[in-house]
Amino acid sequence: MKKLLALLMAIVMVAGIFAGCNEPADTPSDPTDAPEGTETQAPEQTAAPEETEAPATTGPDGREFADEQVYRTLYSSENDTMNYLVSGSTSNLSVGANVIDSLVENDPYGGIVPSAATEWSTSEDGLVWTFKIREGMYWYDADGNQKDPVTAHDWVAAARYICDATYNCSNFYMMDGWIVNATEYYDYTSAVLGGFQNENGEYLSGDPNAVDDDGNPVEVEVVPEVKAEDIGVVAVDDYTLEYHLVKPRPYFLTALQFGTYWPAPANLIFEMGESYATDNYTMWFSGAYLLSTYEPNQKHVYTKNVNNWDAENIHIERIEETYNAEAGTLAPEMFLRGEVDYASIGPDIVADWLADPERSPMISTSRIVGSYSYFMGFNFEPKFAEEYEPENWTIAVNNENFRKSIFHGLDRVVATEAYIPGDDPQLHLINTVTPRGFTSTPSGKDFVTFGDLGTFNTTESFNADLALEYKAKAVEELTAAGCKFPIIIPMNYNPSVDTWADQCAVIKQQLEDLLGTDYIQIEVLAWSGQSFLSETRSNGNYAIQLLNWGADYLDPETWTDPFAQDSSYNFFYDSTEKNGINQNTKTEETIALYEEYRSLVDLAKAETSDMDKRFELFAAAEAFYLEHAIVIPMFVTGGSYQATKLNAFEGQFAAMGQSTSRYKGQYVYKTAMTQDQFNQQLAAWQEAMGE
């Protein structure tokens, strides 16, 4: 079976592919030698070409195009930010995906095709990637006024912004250790922000007078000065861009769909600073659409960018997103009345829709992409309320037999049925963190079939007898360690996700019934704060919680990123003397496990030429993580019922990045897609993919 990575790697591995507070000494207010901006002016309209034949009126599934290409949806929560350089969340990046053209994009089958770059090549050692920027592209404001030309300097400016600690960009990790001097510049600007200097005026990594809890001086060091122009993102000229990598990354092209590698107008971004992209008038647009209206918690309107280089393939003229706190409840009825063009058909009503002869032809399932992996995570640095006994949890979570009792005791089928009701859970269950079919070698071998990971891939983790065996071992060891029983396990859920509470209730009942309430006591907690992720997962405010990770590029390395040093996931790493969650709650045995895991990951990262060997090494690292029950793989989403007047198979596709967030290439149809039409389109797509 031809996998997506085989298709992409065939492109990536060929060099010369032609597809068409104190201020730092080098303050970023003037980040790059960008060309002068043009005067604001009305956009130039390109004359329509002469038509040699009547345009098509129906799509590949046989439905007729809507007379008016306007797509209307509801949304129930506002994005945290539209600044795609700051945020890595899929929801936030969906704005930039539609208004910013990245260097490359994907076709409907995952192939990499030109976008803002017309051609690219790599150096023989794989350390320098060169892109030719498409000439004639411009930035536009929310009213469609033409602004500066899009040039290589805009990618340089974006990189300098992301690598500047001033802006606290959460997706800096995609340049950290990737781009030459990105990490060093970030460290230097961070030290400048800290403001601590020695007698020579050199910036220090911390307060030289600070002491630890025992009264000993905290070691600080001089942070070498690094200038913004030292970062390895270089405008050779206005239309030639270079990325200088720390080490070869044969999958680098696939990372360019992530917001970290999108451009920003060089003459605007540092003028706006932290205010960049706070609304639609503090940012400019180079992509398929202009965000012409942005009224938070009211309405967003995207208008087709008629001057985009690929305007003929932008078919939807306007996208209207209307806020309603009850969107999930109201959208189905509004779809029936023709007021919106999309509605999620939830588990509470899907049976009624399927049984109704008028409504059943209006719904279909969605595609399971596998770009997001869901897993249960154990928190090794607990910072939850004292009433839930975090110190006792610390003793338990550091015991491998305890973790394995949960790992093998959790019935993932019933948990998945509760989270995605109405679906066959086997469609969604995964036994590894990396989803099946996500990546394969150029020869077509799926990553999850390599080495010991292949055993996990084919083995169900739920095993009641094995769970009870590990429980018995854990009780003996934990009792000796001074652990109290039952062990209280706070588990948070976000009430805005309709079925998450149901899943937590099922997990509580199932695990407590199997392992006994004399052993564990799960406390299901409804989060009620302002930001679920920052107040629960990122803050260590949980014992066990459903976590997820979305792939940022098409390589198994991406699935190691949530478990990297300093990642705000399960805090498995040695956090001694680290900022944030730092309680030194891990045992020497746990720290040794992490060090071994990281050595396996580092070994895999170092292999960049032999892809089979690279996959073997990454598979060994992931298998190690699972063998020691650090997380419990759960499921991938997708496949849920919807009523839609789009055909997603016309749009861009990739099992990572923001391709599937883009509306470019799609049409609005007069009628909803039926299940038969979906099945036919899926079969045609799979045939084209070689599956």
Side-chain angles (χ1 to χ4, degrees), residues 99-113:
V99 300
I100 303 295
D101 270 347
S102 50
L103 288 165
V104 297
E105 59 189 25
N106 292 103
D107 65 20
Y109 307 102
I112 294 177
V113 295

Side-chain angles (χ1 to χ4, degrees), residues 383-606:
K383 285 189 69 177
F384 46 77
E386 287 295 325
E387 63 181 294
Y388 304 120
E389 302 176 357
E391 292 183 2
N392 199 55
W393 168 256
T394 294
I395 300 173
V397 75
N398 279 279
N399 183 281
E400 185 167 316
N401 286 321
F402 170 76
R403 297 196 304 272
K404 286 186 173 181
S405 71
I406 305 295
F407 184 96
H408 292 291
L410 176 59
D411 187 337
R412 302 175 315 125
V413 170
V414 298
T416 301
E417 285 177 328
Y419 195 87
I420 315 174
D423 283 7
D424 179 356
Q426 298 303 326
L427 292 172
H428 302 280
L429 282 175
I430 51 175
N431 299 336
T432 53
V433 174
T434 303
R436 289 185 300 275
F438 172 75
T439 58
S440 66
T441 62
S443 62
K445 185 175 180 180
D446 195 323
F447 168 69
V448 299
T449 66
F450 277 82
D452 290 341
L453 195 60
T455 302
F456 282 101
N457 177 53
T458 56
T459 304
E460 170 53 48
S461 62
F462 175 56
N463 185 320
D465 292 338
L466 198 55
L468 292 172
E469 289 181 22
Y470 282 118
K471 172 192 171 182
K473 295 177 182 178
V475 168
E476 181 179 355
E477 294 169 353
L478 290 174
T479 300
C483 187
K484 296 187 300 181
F485 295 96
I487 298 162
I488 300 176
I489 304 176
M491 181 168 59
N492 296 294
Y493 70 90
N494 190 340
S496 68
V497 180
D498 294 339
T499 57
W500 201 341
D502 298 335
Q503 184 195 55
C504 289
V506 165
I507 291 174
K508 172 182 170 64
Q509 180 178 355
Q510 185 264 315
L511 277 176
E512 289 182 350
D513 286 351
L514 174 62
L515 299 175
T517 53
D518 60 333
Y519 181 60
I520 58 172
Q521 176 184 326
I522 298 177
E523 297 290 341
V524 176
L525 306 175
W527 162 81
S528 59
Q530 297 299 311
S531 176
F532 179 77
L533 290 181
S534 64
E535 295 176 16
T536 60
R537 188 204 76 200
S538 299
N539 197 37
N541 180 22
Y542 72 94
I544 295 176
Q545 188 165 301
L546 182 66
L547 312 175
N548 67 15
W549 181 256
D552 298 322
Y553 46 92
L554 208 62
D555 186 83
E557 183 177 337
T558 191
W559 300 103
T560 69
D561 288 339
F563 314 120
Q565 187 83 348
D566 295 344
S567 175
S568 60
Y569 267 71
N570 58 350
F571 307 100
F572 178 47
Y573 56 82
D574 180 7
S575 59
T576 305
E577 297 183 0
K578 299 293 180 184
N579 293 327
I581 313 301
N582 176 19
Q583 302 174 100
N584 197 23
T585 56
K586 288 179 282 295
T587 63
E588 291 182 3
E589 292 79 7
T590 298
I591 292 173
L593 283 178
Y594 179 77
E595 290 175 348
E596 186 170 354
Y597 168 71
R598 289 312 308 172
S599 68
L600 290 170
V601 171
D602 290 343
L603 189 64
K605 287 181 176 180

Side-chain angles (χ1 to χ4, degrees), residues 9 68-69 191 194 240 582 631:
M9 290 304 299
E68 187 179 25
Q69 286 298 304
T240 305
N582 176 19
V631 296

